[in-house]
Structure formats: C-alpha cells, structure tokens
Amino acid sequence: MAGVALAAGHWVGTWGTAPQLVERHNNPPSPGLADNSLREIVQVSIGGKKVRLKLTNEFSREVTEIKAVELAIAKTAGSSSEIDEASTVSLTFDGKASVSIPAGGMVVSDPVRFKLRERENVAITIHYGAASPTVSGHPGSRTTSYLKAGNTTDFSDAVRTDHWYSIQTLEVEAPKKAGAVAILGNSITDGRGSTTNEQNRWPDVLSRRLLANKATRQVAVLNMGIGGNCVLRGGLGPTGEQRYPRDLFGQEGVKWIILFEAVNDLGGSRNGVQTAERVIEVYKKIIREAHQKGIRVFGATITPFKGNNYYSEDHEKGRNTLNNWIRTTKMLDGVIDFDQAVRNTEDAIALQQEFLFENDWLHLNAKGYETMGGCIDLSLFTKTGALATDVEEE
C-alpha cells in the first residue's frame, strides 16, 4: 500500500550512517545498481509512527536516478532478505515515486505512516534507474544487502554484499523530549570486530541500554563511525574535521555528541603529542559550536593499542596527552573512559586479551564492544542545567 505524506513534526534520527566515496573494491557487485533493485536492512534505535528517509549522492560525480523506494519490516537483522509484506509502504519525494539525486546532493522523502518499534529491523528497497559509476555509501555496514537485476521485489536468489549504498538516515517523528546522540568515530565505532548481521557494535549495546532505562528510553543513537577515518588528514572518507558539520550538526534532533576518534591520527603520526594537541583543537571547535546549539558533548578516551603496528612510545605519549585532556578539561559535559574499561589489568597500555579481534591489538571483538557499551554512565543523558564552560582553564 502506498504511504500518505504527512505534516512536519519533531523529527529525530533513529538510524544513520556516515557516507563516503565508496572505494572501488567495495563498489556494488555485478549486476550493479543501474536499472536494478537493492534491498538494504538497518536496525533503528527509537520507534515511532511516521518516518522519512534521507538518500545521498554526495560523493557521486553523476546523477543517480531512483525509480521507487519501499520500506518494510524485515524479518531478520540482515541474515535474509525476507520482509513482512503487509508492512510495506511506498515512499514519495515531493509527491512523486521517482527522484533524481544530483551529483553531490541529497534528498529527503516525504513523511509516511510506518509503525516502527524500538530496535526494529527495517528493509529499504531501492529501484534504480541510471546510477553514477562513483558511488556514495558506507562500506562498513556489518549488515548484508541484497542486489537483484531489474525492477523487482523478489530477492530470494539475490547477490549478497555487506555494504550500504545511497542510504544515509532514517528519521522518526518523536515526542518533543526525544533526542539523539551522534557519535563521531572510526572503525572501533563503525564496528570492525563485531558480528555481521548481529548488530552488536558498542553503539548498539548503548542503544539497547538506553531503551531499557525508563529515564533514557527516548534517546536515539546515531553511529557516525567510518572505518579508517582520521580527525586531521589522510585515512578513509572525509576527515572528522571536514565531516562533523554533516554527521553531528546535520542530524535531526541531536542533543548529545560523543567524540571518539584519533587513534588513526596517532598511529600514523610523526609526533604523537603534537598530533594529539591538534586533535584537541578540533575537539574544542566542535564543543564550542555544539554548546552554541545547546548540545552536550562527551569525550571518550582512546583505547590502548600496544601490540599493533600503530604502537610506539611516541604514539603512546600522544594517546596519553589526548586522554589526559579528555579526563581533566572543563569544556566537556562528561567523560566516557573506554581506556579504563578495556585495558589489560597487568599491562595498562594494551587491550585485555579476551577482547581482541584477530589479535591485531587495536580492534575489539563482540565481548569487548559489549564491555564498551556497558561502561557508559546513562545519567550523562539525563543531566539538566548549564552546559560546561567553553573556555579552557590556563
């Protein structure tokens, strides 16, 4: 059944991902997007009765044509393409089923009635017309998508690919008290080491805890992690400094921000302390802008990486510089001490061994992410009153 466009209300992002130019080896497999159908599955945080979808073409050099888009409740968190057929709604864009997304652009669908429960799995089915050969998307989905030739809704024998394309944010109309926490991060936030189609990244763990707690059940979680991302320069995707206006302040309903980046900056630096100091200056800029918008900012300490090729005494000094600032500055509205939660009790500059993913001494496994998501003080999201100072003490 077709959805009906509805009036605007208080919108909050319930699911989102940070788009980038998809690297060539992560591009859609054959048969490709052009004139074909793609079903992507996302697991939302908070629920609601009206939704709208943002689609992105930000990093594409040519127009991407969308013939139609449908939403439906998915029967799994990504392990199959099956949906509840009766839940299907068709999206419109300015009242039309089709839309052309210009190169470098983004579009938002009209609001539509679509009953969404907490942590619901949603299937987003896109029927493409012409598609740009340069693709905007998110390679680190940790969730399987389903690609099928032609304009179809039958994905029973579709090609599988563990990447997201074109989708950026799913927003829900929510009560005024509802809000989102947006997380600026790299692969540790994006979920490298988590289990594909099990939605067990540390932001997922945090989301489930927030929803289970009466005082925070209206807090949505937006995972803006990009694998290989840097705050300052290099890495994969636009840098944290370049993308924070989009990924933090460009999200609907953001009331809190978590800053948890820089391990890639430190690991590739020539001077760890100087790199940390430059990251701190970017953090200060984000904090000041957030406070001007009434948004609280929490700093998360960088987890240990001794044993990884990022490690050196110099890089460890940089990690300590950044972590000490996070723990002591008066500018942040709260601290999340991931370092303390996952470090080895016998060697504090290394990860606890039971948390290691593929023994790379940098990324955590599902148990490590459970610990990270579980160590966050939920009272951070219930605080009222004045924000922290915007002036660093001398």
Side-chain angles (χ1 to χ4, degrees), residues 67-85:
K67 293 180 178 178
V69 182
E70 297 100 35
L71 300 182
I73 301 302
K75 291 188 175 181
T76 71
S79 59
S80 82
S81 63
E82 294 180 274
I83 62 171
D84 174 4
E85 299 283 354

mmCIF file of all heavy atoms in Angstrom, residues 67-85:
data_model
loop_
_atom_site.group_PDB
_atom_site.id
_atom_site.type_symbol
_atom_site.label_atom_id
_atom_site.label_comp_id
_atom_site.label_asym_id
_atom_site.label_seq_id
_atom_site.Cartn_x
_atom_site.Cartn_y
_atom_site.Cartn_z
ATOM 1 N N LYS A 67 13.870 5.152 -9.182
ATOM 2 C CA LYS A 67 12.529 4.933 -9.742
ATOM 3 C C LYS A 67 11.477 4.800 -8.650
ATOM 4 O O LYS A 67 10.346 5.268 -8.802
ATOM 5 C CB LYS A 67 12.526 3.676 -10.613
ATOM 6 C CG LYS A 67 13.358 3.793 -11.883
ATOM 7 C CD LYS A 67 13.293 2.485 -12.666
ATOM 8 C CE LYS A 67 14.069 2.574 -13.974
ATOM 9 N NZ LYS A 67 14.041 1.282 -14.708
ATOM 10 N N ALA A 68 11.847 4.140 -7.542
ATOM 11 C CA ALA A 68 10.901 3.934 -6.444
ATOM 12 C C ALA A 68 11.669 3.427 -5.229
ATOM 13 O O ALA A 68 12.752 2.847 -5.353
ATOM 14 C CB ALA A 68 9.822 2.924 -6.833
ATOM 15 N N VAL A 69 11.068 3.671 -4.053
ATOM 16 C CA VAL A 69 11.641 3.181 -2.797
ATOM 17 C C VAL A 69 10.505 2.665 -1.919
ATOM 18 O O VAL A 69 9.453 3.314 -1.816
ATOM 19 C CB VAL A 69 12.398 4.287 -2.025
ATOM 20 C CG1 VAL A 69 13.016 3.714 -0.755
ATOM 21 C CG2 VAL A 69 13.459 4.938 -2.898
ATOM 22 N N GLU A 70 10.704 1.504 -1.308
ATOM 23 C CA GLU A 70 9.737 0.976 -0.351
ATOM 24 C C GLU A 70 10.423 0.694 0.985
ATOM 25 O O GLU A 70 11.600 0.327 1.019
ATOM 26 C CB GLU A 70 9.098 -0.341 -0.837
ATOM 27 C CG GLU A 70 8.288 -0.229 -2.101
ATOM 28 C CD GLU A 70 9.046 -0.683 -3.325
ATOM 29 O OE1 GLU A 70 9.851 -1.632 -3.226
ATOM 30 O OE2 GLU A 70 8.858 -0.044 -4.384
ATOM 31 N N LEU A 71 9.656 0.860 2.046
ATOM 32 C CA LEU A 71 10.070 0.432 3.375
ATOM 33 C C LEU A 71 9.195 -0.735 3.801
ATOM 34 O O LEU A 71 8.019 -0.798 3.458
ATOM 35 C CB LEU A 71 9.899 1.555 4.399
ATOM 36 C CG LEU A 71 10.660 2.861 4.216
ATOM 37 C CD1 LEU A 71 10.358 3.775 5.397
ATOM 38 C CD2 LEU A 71 12.149 2.617 4.082
ATOM 39 N N ALA A 72 9.787 -1.648 4.575
ATOM 40 C CA ALA A 72 9.027 -2.757 5.153
ATOM 41 C C ALA A 72 9.742 -3.237 6.397
ATOM 42 O O ALA A 72 10.946 -2.995 6.566
ATOM 43 C CB ALA A 72 8.876 -3.904 4.148
ATOM 44 N N ILE A 73 9.022 -3.895 7.266
ATOM 45 C CA ILE A 73 9.649 -4.522 8.427
ATOM 46 C C ILE A 73 10.382 -5.771 7.946
ATOM 47 O O ILE A 73 9.800 -6.633 7.285
ATOM 48 C CB ILE A 73 8.598 -4.897 9.493
ATOM 49 C CG1 ILE A 73 7.827 -3.640 9.941
ATOM 50 C CG2 ILE A 73 9.267 -5.580 10.668
ATOM 51 C CD1 ILE A 73 8.690 -2.533 10.500
ATOM 52 N N ALA A 74 11.677 -5.842 8.254
ATOM 53 C CA ALA A 74 12.481 -7.005 7.874
ATOM 54 C C ALA A 74 12.320 -8.105 8.910
ATOM 55 O O ALA A 74 12.137 -7.834 10.098
ATOM 56 C CB ALA A 74 13.945 -6.605 7.749
ATOM 57 N N LYS A 75 12.397 -9.334 8.444
ATOM 58 C CA LYS A 75 12.218 -10.468 9.358
ATOM 59 C C LYS A 75 13.494 -10.836 10.107
ATOM 60 O O LYS A 75 13.448 -11.578 11.083
ATOM 61 C CB LYS A 75 11.690 -11.677 8.586
ATOM 62 C CG LYS A 75 10.252 -11.487 8.104
ATOM 63 C CD LYS A 75 9.683 -12.760 7.517
ATOM 64 C CE LYS A 75 8.215 -12.592 7.142
ATOM 65 N NZ LYS A 75 7.624 -13.840 6.590
ATOM 66 N N THR A 76 14.639 -10.329 9.644
ATOM 67 C CA THR A 76 15.909 -10.580 10.320
ATOM 68 C C THR A 76 16.696 -9.270 10.386
ATOM 69 O O THR A 76 16.312 -8.265 9.790
ATOM 70 C CB THR A 76 16.762 -11.622 9.581
ATOM 71 O OG1 THR A 76 17.268 -11.041 8.357
ATOM 72 C CG2 THR A 76 15.961 -12.871 9.260
ATOM 73 N N ALA A 77 17.825 -9.318 11.087
ATOM 74 C CA ALA A 77 18.705 -8.152 11.194
ATOM 75 C C ALA A 77 19.703 -8.090 10.048
ATOM 76 O O ALA A 77 20.693 -7.367 10.129
ATOM 77 C CB ALA A 77 19.431 -8.173 12.534
ATOM 78 N N GLY A 78 19.436 -8.864 8.989
ATOM 79 C CA GLY A 78 20.294 -8.822 7.811
ATOM 80 C C GLY A 78 20.661 -10.178 7.256
ATOM 81 O O GLY A 78 21.164 -10.275 6.136
ATOM 82 N N SER A 79 20.399 -11.238 7.991
ATOM 83 C CA SER A 79 20.804 -12.571 7.529
ATOM 84 C C SER A 79 19.950 -13.110 6.393
ATOM 85 O O SER A 79 20.314 -14.085 5.738
ATOM 86 C CB SER A 79 20.792 -13.562 8.699
ATOM 87 O OG SER A 79 19.503 -13.639 9.276
ATOM 88 N N SER A 80 18.803 -12.484 6.144
ATOM 89 C CA SER A 80 17.979 -12.846 4.985
ATOM 90 C C SER A 80 17.334 -11.581 4.441
ATOM 91 O O SER A 80 17.330 -10.536 5.096
ATOM 92 C CB SER A 80 16.898 -13.864 5.363
ATOM 93 O OG SER A 80 15.774 -13.219 5.938
ATOM 94 N N SER A 81 16.766 -11.676 3.246
ATOM 95 C CA SER A 81 16.100 -10.533 2.616
ATOM 96 C C SER A 81 14.601 -10.531 2.892
ATOM 97 O O SER A 81 13.877 -9.676 2.379
ATOM 98 C CB SER A 81 16.327 -10.579 1.100
ATOM 99 O OG SER A 81 15.745 -11.755 0.543
ATOM 100 N N GLU A 82 14.123 -11.433 3.710
ATOM 101 C CA GLU A 82 12.684 -11.585 3.920
ATOM 102 C C GLU A 82 12.081 -10.396 4.658
ATOM 103 O O GLU A 82 12.705 -9.827 5.561
ATOM 104 C CB GLU A 82 12.408 -12.859 4.721
ATOM 105 C CG GLU A 82 12.753 -14.138 4.003
ATOM 106 C CD GLU A 82 12.451 -15.339 4.875
ATOM 107 O OE1 GLU A 82 13.320 -15.711 5.685
ATOM 108 O OE2 GLU A 82 11.340 -15.891 4.755
ATOM 109 N N ILE A 83 10.861 -10.051 4.266
ATOM 110 C CA ILE A 83 10.141 -8.946 4.887
ATOM 111 C C ILE A 83 8.721 -9.365 5.245
ATOM 112 O O ILE A 83 8.216 -10.378 4.756
ATOM 113 C CB ILE A 83 10.083 -7.709 3.967
ATOM 114 C CG1 ILE A 83 9.323 -8.044 2.670
ATOM 115 C CG2 ILE A 83 11.471 -7.171 3.676
ATOM 116 C CD1 ILE A 83 9.019 -6.825 1.801
ATOM 117 N N ASP A 84 8.093 -8.561 6.086
ATOM 118 C CA ASP A 84 6.659 -8.684 6.330
ATOM 119 C C ASP A 84 5.968 -7.901 5.217
ATOM 120 O O ASP A 84 5.921 -6.670 5.252
ATOM 121 C CB ASP A 84 6.325 -8.113 7.709
ATOM 122 C CG ASP A 84 4.828 -8.078 7.985
ATOM 123 O OD1 ASP A 84 4.048 -8.564 7.146
ATOM 124 O OD2 ASP A 84 4.439 -7.545 9.044
ATOM 125 N N GLU A 85 5.479 -8.606 4.220
ATOM 126 C CA GLU A 85 4.921 -7.959 3.024
ATOM 127 C C GLU A 85 3.810 -6.965 3.371
ATOM 128 O O GLU A 85 3.682 -5.902 2.767
ATOM 129 C CB GLU A 85 4.381 -9.024 2.062
ATOM 130 C CG GLU A 85 5.415 -10.004 1.548
ATOM 131 C CD GLU A 85 6.303 -9.438 0.458
ATOM 132 O OE1 GLU A 85 6.037 -8.295 0.011
ATOM 133 O OE2 GLU A 85 7.263 -10.124 0.046
#
